[in-house]
Amino acid sequence: MDDDAGLSAELAAAVEGARRRAVRDGDRQIDTAHLLHSLLENDPEVRAAFDGGPQLARLFGYLVQRSIGYGLRWQGGVEDSGALPVVTTVEGFSPLASAALRHARLRAAGRPGPQVPDADLPACGDIARGVDLLAAILADPQARAVEVLARAGVHPVDVCARIEVAYGGYGGYGGCDGYAGFAEEGDAP
């Protein structure tokens, strides 16, 4: 599967940035914290889902700390909530990151709207956006990104609520609740 197929330009850039970050950090796999860090750097819609400057500053500070040392306890480990079987169909991604990417595509596929981005609509048909991936990541409390948020004092439920207000839920995979069922199905890419 092409990792970037069906992704917005911002989301494709974030996935590539997460890949580079994992390599630079010496991690075996791209995990949800790598994705979160790159989403925040590359996607203004994702940054808008957070509660302004001070919250983003704390979060970026924590992510930088993680990249220079905090993450050492995670190196060599596989990010897995236990809700998903360990899969390796998307080489380089942790099982949770892989499932979150699949979920982001499912969320986008259920969204009404044109196949080509339209400036008047927040929806883009089946093109997955950064907020789709963020919603998928936040849905699993075992995700490393959720741990990073908690340590930075950010409540994932609040972020999900802002995503839902701005972009709504689509196709049964709208927000945090939809992903829990998806993960339990073991339907990872």
Side-chain angles (χ1 to χ4, degrees), residues 61-85:
Y62 190 81
L63 285 164
V64 167
Q65 286 177 346
R66 177 192 182 261
S67 70
I68 61 173
Y70 173 78
L72 292 177
R73 70 180 179 89
W74 286 333
Q75 286 182 344
V78 174
E79 178 183 44
D80 184 15
S81 70
L84 297 170

Side-chain angles (χ1 to χ4, degrees), residues 7 11 31-32 35 39 79 84 93-107 128-130 132-140 143 179 182-183 187-189:
L7 306 181
L11 183 50
D31 65 26
T32 59
L35 288 169
L39 282 169
E79 178 183 44
L84 297 170
F93 289 92
S94 73
L96 288 179
S98 180
L101 282 166
R102 170 89 173 128
H103 174 70
R105 289 181 175 104
L106 289 171
R107 176 183 160 95
R129 300 166 74 107
D132 296 319
L133 181 56
L134 180 61
I137 289 169
L138 297 178
D140 194 326
Y179 183 58
F182 171 76
D187 184 18

Side-chain angles (χ1 to χ4, degrees), residues 157-179:
V157 172
D158 296 340
V159 177
C160 282
R162 284 196 272 304
I163 291 170
E164 293 310 301
V165 166
Y167 299 98
Y170 305 99
Y173 294 98
C176 293
D177 294 335
Y179 183 58

Side-chain angles (χ1 to χ4, degrees), residues 12-27:
V15 169
E16 184 54 35
R19 183 176 284 117
R20 284 191 307 270
R21 183 171 307 286
V23 169
R24 184 175 54 239
D25 292 350
D27 294 329

